[in-house]
Amino acid sequence: MTLSRIELADWRAVHSWASLPQVCRFQTWGPNTEEQTRAFVATAVDAWAYSPQQRFAYAARTEGDVVGMGELHVRSHHLGRDHPHDQVPHPQASSSSRPDRDTAGPTGTGGLVSPR
């Protein structure tokens, strides 16, 4: 298995699992329509051009086939003691005390692997 930058052509593979209710069951997104998956992949590809880069989307490939993906999100390039995001909130903390969560795509802030 290898990791490489996600490409626009990968949208069909991503959609093969992002459209499945059992994959999205515990996510804030999905199941996705084809349009939603295309838009998600397009924004993930575009993120590689930003500077400073804060989103790194990778496709997991086996023998060239996309079998999953994952993302790394950098929330701040300057984390210090007085920075508002220098601590990870407890899951039971009130939503008003937690930083906003990125839910724009099928991986949120974590990773997702195809159920294949």
Side-chain angles (χ1 to χ4, degrees), residues 6-101:
I6 194 162
E7 301 171 1
L8 288 174
D10 297 332
W11 81 267
R12 286 186 194 276
V14 173
H15 191 67
S16 74
W17 67 79
S19 62
L20 299 174
Q22 66 267 34
V23 173
C24 310
R25 174 169 70 171
F26 299 110
Q27 302 297 326
T28 58
W29 54 268
N32 283 7
T33 64
E34 287 186 0
E35 183 178 318
Q36 289 170 318
T37 302
R38 280 191 206 114
F40 167 75
V41 172
T43 59
V45 168
D46 290 347
W48 286 95
Y50 291 122
S51 181
Q53 188 174 353
Q54 293 183 298
R55 182 180 182 192
F56 300 80
Y58 291 95
R61 300 178 193 276
T62 300
E63 298 179 10
D65 295 329
V66 177
V67 295
M69 71 167 296
E71 294 188 39
L72 171 67
H73 291 253
V74 178
R75 297 291 182 205
S76 176
H77 290 279
H78 174 73
L79 292 179
R81 177 170 210 127
D82 297 325
H83 191 276
H85 296 116
D86 65 346
Q87 298 176 3
V88 176
H90 188 277
Q92 294 177 349
S94 71
S95 60
S96 63
S97 67
R98 294 185 349 208
D100 289 341
R101 182 172 172 222

